[in-house]
Amino acid sequence: MRRLGAVCRAVALIMVVTSGGAGCGWSAASSPQAEGTPGDEGAPPPGTRSSAVPAGKVASVGVLVNGDDHNCTASVVNSPRGNVVATAAHCATGLPLDSLEFAPGFSGAGKGTFPYGKWKVRAVQVDERWTTDHEDGADYAFLTVEPDARGRSVQSVVGSSAPEWSAGPDQRVTVVGYPDEDHNPGNRPVMCTADVHRDPDEAAMLRMECAGFWVGTSGSPWLVDYRGPDRLGRIVGVLSGGDTDVESTAALFDAKARSVYERATRA
């Protein structure tokens, strides 16, 4: 089932990490190309959909790994040192930092495969409004990850999306995420492009209606001007939750989110 508010899902995550997830910038400078279908600068954005479709390989999007389990979705965000990953706050808090890793491009049944390895999370930065009150509008986190054994940044290997801090509430976004294994036994990412608007029930949130975003998709990047896996566009928020797999919400990145991101770039 989908969560009924961010606090419910955060508590569930602290209680147990399941293979499908919890229950209940810097600048827009170009980043290294991620592997996948070659892009085309003149390509139009994807058309709107009412249901998610297979995403194919989007190397910069992956899952958070805690030991043998994986939960939630996360993605690389353009940063000066190439070491910042975005996800939902309820996905990254309450977990032991010494075992938390990011696995970009993850896929495959069971424990899955890690085509780009696992990147150790060094620090987690969240908005103080999340720390004190679990406000839905602050349900985002920026993680600082270590270089790999060869000294490479995760961004240099898989690419990234550029953060956008001043996007309006009316956007067309492409969302890429990993539903839990109950609905996605192959652990493959799905995507949907849809027009989104301010959530009438939660003024601080954006709302998308597109079926297929089950538990596990929390933290999925909401991308504007997505043109393909090597032209990701700009990330304006991350999936926070929703009452069903059809209705999803995200906190729109703003100046407060930028401040949290900047802490991650210095961590």
Side-chain angles (χ1 to χ4, degrees), residues 60 64 73-77 79 83-87 102 119 121 141-145 154 264:
S60 64
L64 295 179
T73 302
S75 65
V76 184
V77 179
S79 66
N83 62 348
V84 175
V85 173
T87 189
F102 170 60
W119 303 72
V121 176
F142 294 97
L143 318 182
T144 308
V145 300
V154 65

Side-chain angles (χ1 to χ4, degrees), residues 41-55:
E41 292 200 14
T48 58
R49 293 184 175 275
S50 58
S51 296
V53 298

Side-chain angles (χ1 to χ4, degrees), residues 18-36:
T18 69
S19 61
C24 192
W26 174 42
S27 72
S30 60
S31 59
Q33 288 191 347
E35 292 185 18

Side-chain angles (χ1 to χ4, degrees), residues 33 37 48 52-53 70 80 93 106 112 117 128 137 139 159 172 179 190 197 215 226 230 245:
Q33 288 191 347
T37 304
T48 58
V53 298
H70 65 85
T93 52
F106 173 80
E128 63 181 11
D139 192 10
R172 174 173 291 187
V190 300
H197 307 283
V215 169
Y226 177 89
D230 59 345
D245 74 300

Side-chain angles (χ1 to χ4, degrees), residues 198-210:
R198 195 176 298 280
D199 189 334
D201 300 321
E202 299 179 79
M205 308 293 283
L206 298 181
R207 177 170 168 172
M208 175 183 75
E209 294 187 2
C210 186

